[in-house]
Amino acid sequence: MTTSLKINGQARSVAAEPDTPLLWVLRDELGMTGTKFGCGAAQCGACTVIVDGQPRRSCVTPIGSVAGSEVTTIEQNGDKVLAAVQAAWTAIDVPQCGYCQSGQIMSAVALLSEIKSPSDRDIDLAMNGNICRCCTYVRIRAAIHDAARRLGG
Ligand code: FES
Ligand code: FES
């Protein structure tokens, strides 16, 4: 079955069973390996992408459920919020092993797209499901504040 959707602003048609996880489509069908597989059970956040403005765990999102949707991944170019978050991540040197970080960044982008100047509590709530085994949480929080400043929040 073919599913049509937009990924990073480009119309794509994907031939896959409707229950195929979006994560597998991104990585295996489209070669977009920036989105990571961690737990496969919506427990870690490594696979987070943005679907129609909301953060979603792509490992448990059937491709059939996102037909007609706009999906944004870490590979997106030209998005000012994503660019500001990536600049802040680099300036603050957030990643350690890096494995969780594309999911962290996409959750941060979703947060900053909704709340221009998030409080620590807003950040903790929004980032709650994104696990970092290297415990970079303090730098993540600082980088989100930095990104908000870069965006004028
Ligand atoms: S791989 Fe999707 S939440 Fe862990
Ligand atoms: S940087 Fe290593 S798991 Fe987060």
Side-chain angles (χ1 to χ4, degrees):
M1 184 182 159
T2 299
T3 300
S4 298
L5 70 167
K6 267 195 180 175
I7 301 177
N8 298 335
Q10 285 194 319
R12 308 295 294 250
S13 287
V14 179
E17 292 301 316
D19 60 352
T20 305
L22 173 60
L23 178 60
W24 299 143
V25 170
L26 291 171
R27 292 182 58 86
D28 295 347
E29 302 296 324
L30 303 175
M32 300 171 70
T33 55
T35 306
K36 302 303 182 195
F37 171 75
C39 64
Q43 297 296 310
C44 75
C47 65
T48 304
V49 298
I50 298 174
V51 178
D52 296 331
Q54 298 298 315
R56 288 273 284 274
R57 307 303 188 226
S58 61
C59 68
V60 293
T61 300
I63 187 70
S65 73
V66 294
S69 292
E70 298 238 10
V71 175
T72 305
T73 74
I74 192 76
E75 288 95 350
Q76 167 75 302
N77 276 322
D79 180 275
K80 74 176 176 97
V81 179
L82 178 55
V85 170
Q86 289 173 320
W89 246 245
T90 301
I92 291 174
D93 205 9
V94 172
Q96 191 162 320
C97 80
Y99 199 83
C100 72
Q101 295 292 330
S102 69
Q104 304 280 4
I105 285 172
M106 297 317 290
S107 288
V109 168
L111 168 63
L112 287 165
S113 298
E114 290 261 319
I115 303 175
K116 298 296 173 215
S117 188
S119 64
D120 285 347
R121 180 172 159 73
D122 294 330
I123 293 170
D124 291 347
L125 282 173
M127 304 300 291
N128 187 35
N130 285 85
I131 307 300
C132 177
R133 297 205 310 181
C134 304
C135 281
T136 60
Y137 301 113
V138 172
R139 294 199 296 277
I140 286 170
R141 190 195 268 179
I144 292 173
H145 284 304
D146 185 73
R149 282 190 292 273
R150 289 168 189 265
L151 291 162

